């Protein structure tokens, strides 16, 4: 029955040690998918090939405190949570993600919110489909096709499901693997023990759970109860059975499905109980209104003679209850839903028509009347069930997970992949500048100049770099750095007057609260943290601080102050972008467009009469702001301006030549007076990456790489500014030499650019095209 392919070499040689995450509902939520996910996880953890299995839990309540052992929690109805979970997974050392798919456990129409997760994932994806409809609606097919398109491989539990996917054009055959629903080994073990015990007593039936008389013939059904289970059909069949065999007992075990209980209360169960009374079957039907543990299910099935699944929906393509019943060696009577037809076709049970109590009664009576018929069905069920134990199913699943990794290695490369021969990224100097307050502004060579103190601008930059470094290296060090950075920004804030910027080494503020670039950079940093944070503890304080400062950007703020703020606000997920934040983003966009339309002319495609500092941030803000607001005009203008600025700065020819720190006025020749600054090179890297992401134009990716190569020696002096020995960065590139000092702004600019370029994962062809003359 297992049709997954042979194990890849990496697993056969014991080299696998896969790290995966399962996205699903989980116990204690009463949900069959959740029980399945928990069983899969436990079974995978029992394999040598699996190193760890993270849990991403989908919950159906708005308040979602993080539970121990849970990596991330997704509130079913909150679309932003799906995106944030994907980003969090992208920051973890996970090789492949396993998604349990069932339309009803995700938010949106037909569970459409799950697309936000699968589209954002950076790891290979494997999807297990629990519902595959033979005739889905157009929208159901569209939702499922989108998920399958993002997946490297798709697991289904029956060949019928495979056929429906391929015939309906939902998924190509080459992606699909068939792995049956698993069952805990304890199911078969308890059944065998019960059979052995009965035989040891001379064939006497030793009922221990249901029914006072061990000689009663036991029918059972278990699982979450809803109208779709068709239990009234089995109850209506009982009078004919009892008339011929009065010792029959039918056990209905399971609580009402929580979603049904929420909508309808216990109406369906009460209706069943009333029907039992009306038919005089009180002595022949027993309700057990609990969500049974696996051990309790095993006990019930061990005592069961015939397992009944009178379900009403032909489209059911999997059933944990039926799987468990077969694994326990029970004979089965079932309606002809797809999963039952696949599983019972070889003789483990009898198929009866939908809504036909008389035929169901005849099928049960035949099992009672013909012990050899019952024995043959039970023997076939045991044969099939031997293939369904979770260890076997987990092994097949692990092979598929490894196959997915081999088919599509993770798009996110480790930091060492930024051409390790040239960079060898290290954070020694950054750690030298960082202390228990923030980051010291300046350095004399590589020695921190404590007299320069600290500033909000640098600490805001540090916060986002620390967040990314925390997941790549020494998490304890960099997480603590992030927390201290947020504390610094919080202490600098006066919610009524503005933010202080400069602090002396004695921890005394040197200025009064005011607005300026430092406030814009703080908004930017906080927005980035909220968009990418994989540490849940920082979310609430970051949201609170952002709410406190976003209104501190005045209407007459400089273009750069507004642009910095816009970069952070554009990164926010929609459900975290408050109305005030959106209004500020829209206002900044209009200010930039007004400035451009007023100032730009032939040969001068710019917002001001001079190029100053951090220039690429202005078109960068238009590009991402336009994409966020759905304003193509803003994005197109930003792309045009960025291309002009890049051409003016040498990127068309291949070597970045930045505007000097003294600026360049309209009409003056490039590059202007003064030293070239790492801040501007980093701005180019990030703006070009944003342009590449929005437009898909490979030229922008090439320009991003060339801009980064400026740090490595592709500049007019052919000298690297990055210090390969310390991990610091020179403060500037002059006309004849580099600045020997390695301060916070420059070092953070390099690290920010390096990390973002790595995250972008540019196609190798672009990285190779960009490598011309880079100094060793």
């Amino acid at each position: 029955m297992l049709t997954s392919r042979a194990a890849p070499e990496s697993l056969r040689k014991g080299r696998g040690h896969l790290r995966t995450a399962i996205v699903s509902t989980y116990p204690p939520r009463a949900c069959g998918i959740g029980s399945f996910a928990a069983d899969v996880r436990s079974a995978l953890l029992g394999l040598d090939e699996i190193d760890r299995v993270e849990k991403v839990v989908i919950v159906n309540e708005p308040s979602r405190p993080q539970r121990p052992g849970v990596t991330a929690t997704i509130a079913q109805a909150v679309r932003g949570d799906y995106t944030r979970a994907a980003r969090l997974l992208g920051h973890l050392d996970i090789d492949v993600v396993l998604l349990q798919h069932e339309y009803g456990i995700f938010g949106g129409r037909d569970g459409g919110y799950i697309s936000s997760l699968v589209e954002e994932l950076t790891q290979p994806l494997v999807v297990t489909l629990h519902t595959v409809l033979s005739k889905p609606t157009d929208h159901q097919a569209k939702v499922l096709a989108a998920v399958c398109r993002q997946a490297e491989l798709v697991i289904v539990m029956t060949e019928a499901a495979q056929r429906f996917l391929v015939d309906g054009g939902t998924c190509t055959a080459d992606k699909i693997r068939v792995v049956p629903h698993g069952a805990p080994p304890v199911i078969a073990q308890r059944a065998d023990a019960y059979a052995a015990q009965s035989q040891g007593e001379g064939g006497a039936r030793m009922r221990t759970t249901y029914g006072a008389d061990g000689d009663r013939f036991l029918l059972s059904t278990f699982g979450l109860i809803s109208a779709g289970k068709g239990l009234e059909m089995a109850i209506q069949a009982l009078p004919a059975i009892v008339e011929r065999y009065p010792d029959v007992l039918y056990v209905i075990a399971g609580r009402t499905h929580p979603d049904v209980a929420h909508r309808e209360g216990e109406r369906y169960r009460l209706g069943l109980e009333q029907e039992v009374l009306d038919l005089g079957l009180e002595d022949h039907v027993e309700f057990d209104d609990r969500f049974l543990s696996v051990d309790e299910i095993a006990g019930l099935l061990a005592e069961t003679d015939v397992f009944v699944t009178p379900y009403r929906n032909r489209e059911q393509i999997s059933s944990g209850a039926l799987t468990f019943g077969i694994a326990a060696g029970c004979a089965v009577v079932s309606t002809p839903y797809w999963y039952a037809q696949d599983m019972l076709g070889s003789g483990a049970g009898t198929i009866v028509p939908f809504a036909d109590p008389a035929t169901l009664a005849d099928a049960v009576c035949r099992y009672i009347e013909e012990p050899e018929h019952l024995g043959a069905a039970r023997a076939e069920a045991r044969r099939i069930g031997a293939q369904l134990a979770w260890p076997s199913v987990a092994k097949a699943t692990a092979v598929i997970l490894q196959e997915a990794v081999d088919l599509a290695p993770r798009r996110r490369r480790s930091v060492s992949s930024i051409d390790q021969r040239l960079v060898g990224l290290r954070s020694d100097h950054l750690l030298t500048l960082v202390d228990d307050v923030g980051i010291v502004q300046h350095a004399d060579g590589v020695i921190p100049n404590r007299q320069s103190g600290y500033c909000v601008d640098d600490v805001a930059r540090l916060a986002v770099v620390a967040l990314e470094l925390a997941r790549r290296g020494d998490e304890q060090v960099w997480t603590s750095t992030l927390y201290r950075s947020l504390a610094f920004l919080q202490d600098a804030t006066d919610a009524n007057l503005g933010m202080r910027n400069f602090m002396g080494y004695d921890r005394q503020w040197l200025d009064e609260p005011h607005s300026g670039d430092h406030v814009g950079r703080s908004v930017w940093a906080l927005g980035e943290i909220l968009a990418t944070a994989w540490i849940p503890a920082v979310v609430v304080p970051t949201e609170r601080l952002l709410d406190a400062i976003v209104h501190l950007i005045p209407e007459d703020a400089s273009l750069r102050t507004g642009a910095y703020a816009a970069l952070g606000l554009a990164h926010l997920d929609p459900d975290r972008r408050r109305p005030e934040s959106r209004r500020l983003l829209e206002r900044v966009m209009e200010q930039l467009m007004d400035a451009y339309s007023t100032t730009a002319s032939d040969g001068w495609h710019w917002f001001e009469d001079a190029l100053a500092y951090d220039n690429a941030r202005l078109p960068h803000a238009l590009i991402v702001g336009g994409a966020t607001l759905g304003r193509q005009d803003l994005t197109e203008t930003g792309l045009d301006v960025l291309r002009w600025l890049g051409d003016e700065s040498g990127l068309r020819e291949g070597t970045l030549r930045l505007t000097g720190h003294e600026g360049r006025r309209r009409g003056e020749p490039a590059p202007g007076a003064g030293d070239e600054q790492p801040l501007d090179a980093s701005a180019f890297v990030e703006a070009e990456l944003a342009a590449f992401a929005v437009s898909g134009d490979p030229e922008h990716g090439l320009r991003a790489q060339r801009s980064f190569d400026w740090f490595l020696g592709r500049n007019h002096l052919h000298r690297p500014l990055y210090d390969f020995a310390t991990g610091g960065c020179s403060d500037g590139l002059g006309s004849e030499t580099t600045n020997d000092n390695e301060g916070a702004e420059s070092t953070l600019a390099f690290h920010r650019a390096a990390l973002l370029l790595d995250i972008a994962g540019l196609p190798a062809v672009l990285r190779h095209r960009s490598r011309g003359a880079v100094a060793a």
Side-chain angles (χ1 to χ4, degrees), residues 606 611 614-617 619-620 623 641-651 656-659 676-692 700-708 710-711 749 753 756-757:
W606 196 241
L611 293 170
D614 227 1
N615 294 303
R617 298 302 181 191
H620 182 192
I623 291 168
V641 175
L642 180 62
R643 183 171 293 278
W644 175 84
L645 181 63
D647 290 348
E648 291 289 304
S649 303
L651 285 179
L656 183 65
R657 187 73 189 268
L658 294 162
T659 299
E676 298 177 46
Q677 303 289 300
L679 187 73
D680 284 289
S682 185
F684 258 116
V685 171
E686 193 163 356
E688 292 289 1
L689 287 176
F692 178 62
H700 288 296
L702 181 62
R703 289 187 174 212
Q705 184 69 65
R706 286 175 174 171
S707 299
F708 180 73
W710 178 91
F711 289 100
L756 287 173
L757 196 65

Side-chain angles (χ1 to χ4, degrees), residues 234-409:
I235 293 172
Q236 291 162 8
L238 276 177
I241 299 171
V242 169
E243 182 178 1
R244 294 157 68 180
Y245 301 100
D247 291 331
V248 166
L249 174 66
Y250 180 34
V251 173
I252 299 174
R255 57 185 283 197
T256 299
H257 194 293
D259 292 343
V260 174
H262 179 72
R263 294 192 309 268
E264 305 174 4
E266 295 290 337
R267 183 173 64 180
Y268 181 66
R269 174 186 294 280
L270 293 174
L272 295 177
E273 292 178 353
Q274 185 61 51
E275 189 155 19
V276 168
L277 293 174
D278 292 344
L279 294 174
L281 296 171
E282 300 96 314
D283 294 333
H284 300 279
V285 179
E286 184 173 335
F287 289 92
D288 186 347
D289 184 14
R290 296 178 298 147
F291 187 74
L292 302 186
S293 68
V294 170
D295 281 342
E296 289 169 331
I297 293 169
L300 169 62
L301 294 176
E303 299 179 19
T304 295
D305 295 293
V306 174
F307 189 67
V308 183
T309 60
Y311 302 163
R312 298 168 60 183
N313 184 4
R314 184 182 296 276
E315 296 293 337
Q316 186 155 345
I317 205 68
S318 68
S319 168
L322 179 55
T323 302
F324 284 25
I326 292 172
C330 298
V332 179
V333 174
S334 176
T335 50
Y337 56 93
W338 297 122
Y339 188 68
Q341 290 189 58
D342 269 20
M343 298 299 289
L344 303 179
S346 62
T350 301
I351 298 291
V352 299
F354 292 107
D356 189 344
T359 304
L360 190 154
D362 289 342
V364 171
C365 287
R366 185 184 175 200
Y367 279 130
I368 301 173
E369 293 165 353
E370 301 178 20
E372 68 283 358
H373 178 52
L374 177 64
R378 299 191 67 153
E380 178 61 11
R382 284 192 295 272
R383 186 192 69 80
I384 296 172
Q387 305 176 59
L388 304 181
W390 273 121
S392 298
V393 173
K395 183 71 175 180
T397 302
V399 169
I400 293 169
L401 294 174
Q402 182 64 56
E403 185 184 357
V405 173
D406 294 341
L407 284 170

